[in-house]
Amino acid sequence: MPAPRYAPPKDLSAYAWLSIGAAVTTIALKAFAAWITGSVGLLSDAAESVVNLVAAVVALIVLKISIKPADDDHQFGHSKAEYFSAIVEGVMIFVAAAVIIISAIGRLIEPVMPEQLNVGLLISVGASAVNGGAAWFLHRVGTRERSTTLVADAKHLATDVVTSAAVLVGVGLVAVFDSPVLDAIVALGAGMNIMWTGFKLVSESVAGLMDVAPSQEAQARIEAVLARYRLDGRIGFHAVRVREAGNRRFADMHVLVPGAWSVKEGHDFTERVIDELVAVDPNLRVSAHLEPIEDPKSYEDVEDV
């Protein structure tokens, strides 16, 4: 038996455990910092980390589902499950933002001066370092493996780092100017920033569910392979369409060859083209339709895209 053309998708769920571990660690550190200081800014930071934990657990589940092979009910596989994880993360970001904003408004109405700020700030810096390291690593792996879930998780953690930085600045200003209102103002700003991040994450995930085209780099790799054969003059390709589905891409194309070729010649040529396409993009799945290049009917089903 020859080796299968398409390698099975990689199991990336182990990386979700890194996100879970980072979330648990930061929740403990930030909650302790918020408890000893009474800062609503630090409390809002801890609330977002709880959301990170929920999102990381969802990511773990979805990464397991996304690599399941195709079945009767899902004949193109389960890779789109990754977009649902990203949507869940986006919604959870909205929840965190709402908690932060509500807490901030309460403190604007009734300001409370935080205590033991130096210790609280030091603990929060340590928690941010944990999140920052995890975000960098997950984004690197997610980009390399084309995993929507890992990239979304990395963005979520990176948002937490940005929020923590803003909170640290705000709480620092509270200590400098002895004004508890600044704590609430910074928390309010952090909440609005988190909400915007959630909106962008949901928008990107919805685009994926709508069979969005892959990146220009991915399309250029495909076009480079096809362009080499077009130079022959007797070969052509049209109706080339590529869609992205989580960690996979699916391509459909019509292959135009001389009508004098035998079925086997056309088939062998098409198989060679597909092998070259998969070689430059291992996550690509190709479906090709063979047509005689001289026949006018070969061009009747071409749609403008």
Side-chain angles (χ1 to χ4, degrees):
M1 288 290 291
R5 168 179 283 150
Y6 301 120
K10 294 181 180 179
D11 184 356
L12 302 176
S13 60
Y15 295 107
W17 285 106
L18 172 63
S19 183
I20 291 173
V24 171
T25 301
T26 53
I27 287 171
L29 291 173
K30 291 179 179 180
F32 180 64
W35 177 67
I36 65 173
T37 61
S39 167
V40 69
L42 293 177
L43 177 63
S44 67
D45 213 8
E48 187 183 1
S49 293
V50 174
V51 176
N52 288 347
L53 177 58
V54 175
V57 172
V58 172
L60 175 64
I61 296 170
V62 168
L63 285 170
K64 284 292 188 183
I65 294 174
S66 68
I67 63 171
K68 291 174 62 178
D71 54 33
D72 291 341
D73 294 327
H74 306 88
Q75 297 181 8
F76 287 90
H78 298 77
S79 57
K80 275 193 175 182
E82 291 206 39
Y83 293 119
F84 291 100
S85 173
I87 289 175
V88 169
E89 291 213 28
V91 172
M92 293 303 295
I93 287 175
F94 273 111
V95 172
V99 171
I100 293 169
I101 291 171
I102 291 171
S103 299
I105 291 174
R107 284 298 178 90
L108 281 173
I109 297 173
E110 297 182 9
V112 176
M113 188 65 189
E115 302 175 355
Q116 301 188 57
L117 289 178
N118 291 338
V119 177
L121 289 175
L122 185 61
I123 295 172
S124 188
V125 167
S128 296
V130 172
N131 268 345
W136 174 82
F137 184 74
L138 289 175
H139 192 275
R140 183 179 178 183
V141 174
T143 301
R144 185 185 70 218
E145 303 295 343
R146 303 292 300 173
S147 171
T148 304
T149 299
L150 290 182
V151 171
D153 215 15
K155 287 183 178 180
H156 199 163
L157 290 174
T159 300
D160 189 79
V161 174
V162 173
T163 303
S164 297
V167 169
L168 290 173
V169 171
V171 175
L173 291 174
V174 171
V176 172
F177 295 102
D178 196 32
S179 173
V181 174
L182 291 174
D183 182 38
I185 292 175
V186 169
L188 188 61
M192 297 300 292
N193 177 65
I194 294 170
M195 191 166 287
W196 173 245
T197 300
F199 172 76
K200 290 193 295 181
L201 190 54
V202 170
S203 298
E204 292 170 1
S205 301
V206 170
L209 290 172
M210 293 295 291
D211 288 336
V212 68
S215 66
Q216 292 183 351
E217 291 80 7
Q219 295 184 69
R221 288 195 295 268
I222 293 172
E223 182 55 35
V225 172
L226 302 184
R228 292 200 301 271
Y229 289 104
R230 287 194 178 103
L231 295 175
D232 182 281
R234 301 179 302 157
I235 304 297
F237 304 91
H238 67 211
V240 180
R241 301 178 180 87
V242 188
R243 63 184 177 88
E244 197 155 54
N247 56 15
R248 297 184 188 178
R249 280 164 292 284
F250 294 88
D252 294 282
M253 65 182 68
H254 293 190
V255 182
L256 305 170
V257 301
W261 282 14
S262 68
V263 173
K264 186 177 188 312
E265 286 177 310
H267 174 265
D268 289 347
F269 171 76
T270 302
E271 291 295 301
R272 185 165 72 250
V273 173
I274 294 176
D275 283 339
E276 290 191 25
L277 291 171
V278 174
V280 299
D281 188 349
N283 291 324
L284 186 67
R285 305 295 190 263
V286 183
S287 177
H289 174 60
L290 193 64
E291 296 179 316
I293 196 168
E294 308 92 348
D295 190 347
K297 290 187 69 65
S298 297
Y299 303 88
E300 291 179 356
D301 53 359
V302 178
E303 297 179 5
D304 293 330
V305 292

